Amino acid sequence: MTEVLAAKSLAEGLVSAAMGRVLPPSLSRRDPVVRASEHADFQSNVALSLAGSAGTTPRALAQSLRQELDGGPLLASLSGPGFLNLTLADSALWSLLADRSADPRLGVGRPLAGVRTVVDYSGPNIAKEMHVGHLRTTVIGDSLVRVLAFLGADVVRQNHLGDWGTQFGMLIQYLDEHPEAPWRCSDPTVADAGDQVSALDGLYRVARGAFTADPGFAERARRRVVALQAGDEATLAVWRDLVAVSSEAFQLLYDRLGVQLTRADEAAESSYNPYLDEITEALVAAGIAVESDGALCVFFDDVTGPDGEPVPLIVRKDDGGFGYAATDLATLRHRVDTLKADRILYVVDARQALHFRMVFATARRAGWLPDRVEAVHVPFGTVMGPGGTPFKTRAGGTVRLSELLDAAEDGARAALAEKSHDLTGAELERVARAAGIGAVKYADLSTSRAKNYVFDIDQMVSLQGNTGVYMQYAHARVRAILRKAPEGALDRGVDTALPLHPAERALILLLDGFGAVVGEVGREWEPHRLCGYLFALAKAFTEFYGDCPVLKAPTEELRSNRLVLCRLTGDTLARGLDLLGVEAPERI
């Protein structure tokens, strides 16, 4: 189905047509300057911008345009020195409602069709538990993947797992020397992959302590790193076990969160290890990387530290080991050459901004990132605890993501217990889980990603304000109205001859803006804009429902129109929440 014309686009087209009849061709093709207005549906300032070039006054030009619009679906009036206040006829808005309601995509086109977009997000470390620090990259990345795919982009998900380096030499050597360490699947004290990774996380901390305190163990761990990198089979066998159980644990959390990452999306650091020598040799041969204090570095004229000294991108360390930069350069080259990316998004903590700036610049100089490919760091702020302090456990440790989700589900369950509902048993539990997980994700996404935000369970599960639970409740309320509609009431279609109530007009115009908002998210990579839109839509529906009886409308025609308006509101809320990765239960 073709894209449904938006009200603003309809108004722009009509004003442009009027311009074509009163202005010379050199001026008639200019922007009609149509914007939303508090005084009408829209306002056009085109007369003010073009009057001088047309050899007339703004008010005279506005008057000519108003006369050309007379008798059509766009009603115009003059105000001020030459503003055109524009109001669409009631019949035009009812027709837009009918078209949008009949379209399974709610009138949204596919402006990104054919744009191959690689999105790098989540990226937990093997043998370590996912914690609160992984929440934002995972949730924001998942929403962007959903939005970009909906807009037609060919999206490639990439989960850049940390599965290589010195830490694995420490852990594997420790496990070799302590075979009694309880983490393997065969151990009866371990319940599932999540518990196994939790045990491994603890063992890694013990191994790190031994590495620091015991020079003998440190030397054995270093030799184990060499063995791992050299492909020693016994070492690789343990490493593969660590990767397998960690990936399983991560997938359990992804499934619980309802994000779209799967094992097929894993792109681990180790997969780029064979190319690191090649990367460094190419940088040296091109004169891009030079040796500095034993390390191989790339320097930049515009990157200096507080002391004014150059800050380098370290590709290879002075001990011969490769840093993150080498892996990221190999990764970027792979995404351009093999994955054929037109655009690459890195949904990574804002503190990595300088790193990515230098990696992208290096790749541009090396020719691995051609001008036709856009590489973007999509930064985000930090999850904070009460009082705006870093979010930690009482003992000062990192908060496990699984525990955070447990707390959210418990909070949602308690909030549901305080309101009247007829949910019982398995359905109640399913809704509590959806509300808890949705509350966490919505709280994260409704905050501008550039900002920090405070993790507050009580606020997240509140039925008041811009929260996930409020949005889910608004959707369920609409569905409840539709369930009570008489059989066949929604099949009558839309009667475009009926007059519009102001609340109906406001709701139709807001629904009309869904595609524009989704497009903004796809261009600016800011899901909070969609959250703000959905919250405004839910409030507008509440005002509409309070002012305009639906099931008890005075005529069948009006009831049918309002039911269609309800259905489109419910469908838009559901689609919008889905693009955020938030479930929209039919009942709550």
Side-chain angles (χ1 to χ4, degrees):
M1 181 175 274
T2 59
E3 182 176 359
V4 175
L5 194 65
K8 182 171 178 288
S9 297
L10 176 59
E12 287 173 337
L14 292 169
V15 174
S16 292
M19 290 167 59
R21 294 190 291 271
V22 302
L23 290 169
S26 60
L27 298 178
S28 65
R29 299 185 183 92
R30 300 281 186 90
D31 183 351
V33 199
V34 174
R35 305 288 184 265
S37 172
E38 295 180 358
H39 309 293
D41 295 341
F42 305 101
Q43 184 180 82
S44 172
N45 301 344
V46 71
L48 279 75
S49 64
L50 296 184
S53 300
T56 185
T57 66
R59 192 164 181 86
L61 178 55
Q63 176 66 17
S64 297
L65 292 172
R66 186 198 67 75
Q67 290 173 347
E68 288 295 329
L69 292 168
D70 273 353
L74 189 61
L75 313 177
S77 63
L78 270 65
S79 67
F83 299 116
L84 274 176
N85 291 327
L86 307 170
T87 301
L88 281 165
D90 292 355
S91 59
L93 285 178
W94 282 126
S95 294
L96 287 175
L97 170 69
D99 292 343
R100 201 168 299 283
S101 181
D103 183 359
R105 291 181 54 81
L106 308 181
V108 182
R110 292 181 171 87
L112 298 181
V115 179
R116 191 162 177 81
T117 305
V118 174
V119 185
D120 180 324
Y121 62 112
S122 196
N125 292 314
I126 295 297
K128 292 185 180 180
E129 289 185 283
M130 289 182 69
H131 53 76
V132 66
H134 295 106
L135 178 63
R136 300 212 74 185
T137 173
T138 304
V139 169
I140 294 171
D142 181 66
S143 179
L144 293 181
V145 163
R146 292 167 181 264
V147 168
L148 294 171
F150 182 63
L151 292 173
D154 178 13
V155 178
V156 180
R157 300 183 293 268
Q158 293 278 273
N159 191 1
H160 194 69
L161 299 179
D163 71 336
W164 207 245
T166 304
Q167 65 268 33
F168 290 96
M170 295 182 202
L171 181 56
I172 293 172
Q173 185 62 33
Y174 185 85
L175 293 174
D176 184 63
E177 296 179 10
H178 298 82
E180 75 283 359
W183 75 272
R184 287 181 170 82
C185 299
S186 58
D187 193 295
T189 66
V190 175
D192 59 27
D195 290 334
Q196 293 176 69
V197 172
S198 180
L200 285 170
D201 200 331
L203 290 171
Y204 169 74
R205 289 193 290 271
V206 174
R208 186 173 184 82
F211 185 88
T212 302
D214 183 352
F217 176 77
E219 179 57 30
R220 295 192 299 275
R222 291 189 186 97
R223 290 200 299 267
R224 183 68 71 169
V225 175
V226 174
L228 176 63
Q229 293 176 340
D232 175 68
E233 187 53 43
T235 303
L236 282 173
V238 179
W239 173 79
R240 291 189 192 101
D241 282 348
L242 299 178
V243 171
V245 72
S246 299
S247 293
E248 183 180 346
F250 299 155
Q251 194 61 54
L252 290 171
L253 273 173
Y254 294 145
D255 292 344
R256 184 177 181 187
L257 274 168
V259 301
Q260 294 182 339
L261 284 170
T262 69
R263 295 289 299 274
D265 304 315
E266 292 179 357
E269 287 181 23
S270 60
S271 63
Y272 304 102
N273 194 56
Y275 309 106
L276 302 187
D277 283 325
E278 178 186 336
I279 286 287
T280 54
E281 290 169 5
L283 292 175
V284 171
I288 297 171
V290 296
E291 190 171 313
S292 176
D293 295 329
L296 194 63
C297 304
V298 179
F299 289 91
F300 309 85
D301 293 337
D302 58 346
V303 180
T304 58
D307 57 0
E309 292 297 313
V311 176
L313 181 71
I314 301 175
V315 179
R316 189 176 62 209
K317 296 178 285 188
D318 57 5
D319 63 0
F322 294 104
Y324 290 119
T327 301
D328 284 340
L329 287 167
T331 302
L332 194 153
R333 189 181 68 166
H334 168 78
R335 290 169 177 173
V336 172
D337 292 348
T338 305
L339 298 183
K340 306 299 182 185
D342 298 307
R343 175 187 292 162
I344 310 171
L345 305 184
Y346 291 81
V347 186
V348 182
D349 191 317
R351 290 170 292 185
Q352 299 299 316
L354 180 58
H355 170 77
F356 282 111
R357 176 183 164 192
M358 293 191 292
V359 166
F360 297 160
T362 301
R364 294 278 185 205
R365 287 160 65 180
W368 300 327
L369 185 59
D371 291 341
R372 65 172 180 80
V373 179
E374 183 181 18
V376 182
H377 174 211
V378 182
F380 53 83
T382 305
V383 181
M384 309 298 285
T389 58
F391 195 25
K392 301 287 185 180
T393 64
R394 291 183 178 178
T398 304
V399 180
R400 299 167 60 190
L401 184 53
S402 59
E403 292 177 347
L404 183 150
L405 298 180
D406 289 342
E409 289 185 14
D410 289 343
R413 201 172 285 109
L416 288 174
E418 294 177 0
K419 66 179 289 292
S420 175
H421 62 77
D422 58 358
L423 301 173
T424 58
E427 185 180 15
L428 174 60
E429 186 59 25
R430 184 185 65 79
V431 170
R433 285 197 301 270
I437 300 299
V440 170
K441 298 173 78 172
Y442 192 91
D444 193 304
L445 296 168
S446 61
T447 303
S448 171
R449 60 172 169 76
K451 297 180 180 179
N452 300 337
Y453 78 95
V454 175
F455 192 92
D456 184 335
I457 290 292
D458 291 338
Q459 175 59 34
M460 288 178 180
V461 300
S462 173
L463 277 169
Q464 307 297 322
N466 189 14
T467 68
V469 179
Y470 172 79
M471 298 308 308
Q472 290 171 321
Y473 183 73
H475 170 263
R477 184 184 183 193
V478 176
R479 297 306 186 197
I481 295 169
L482 295 174
R483 285 195 296 271
K484 296 175 183 177
E487 186 175 353
L490 276 163
D491 299 331
R492 293 178 58 93
V494 174
D495 186 340
T496 61
L498 295 180
L500 273 170
H501 185 282
E504 293 171 327
R505 173 177 290 272
L507 186 55
I508 290 174
L509 286 170
L510 194 54
L511 288 164
D512 185 78
F514 177 62
V517 172
V518 175
E520 286 179 13
V521 176
R523 288 190 302 273
E524 304 296 333
W525 312 298
E526 293 182 335
H528 77 275
R529 299 186 184 210
L530 179 54
C531 294
Y533 167 83
L534 294 176
F535 182 51
L537 180 61
K539 291 196 298 182
F541 179 79
T542 297
E543 293 173 8
F544 154 77
Y545 191 64
D547 293 343
C548 303
V550 177
L551 298 176
K552 295 183 179 181
T555 67
E556 289 188 3
E557 292 80 9
L558 186 56
R559 181 181 64 190
S560 177
N561 278 23
R562 289 176 177 175
L563 282 171
V564 171
L565 190 47
C566 288
R567 181 175 62 191
L568 182 57
T569 300
D571 291 348
T572 304
L573 288 171
R575 178 59 62 88
L577 288 171
D578 180 69
L579 292 176
L580 297 171
V582 175
E583 187 177 344
E586 295 283 315
R587 302 170 70 239
I588 193 170

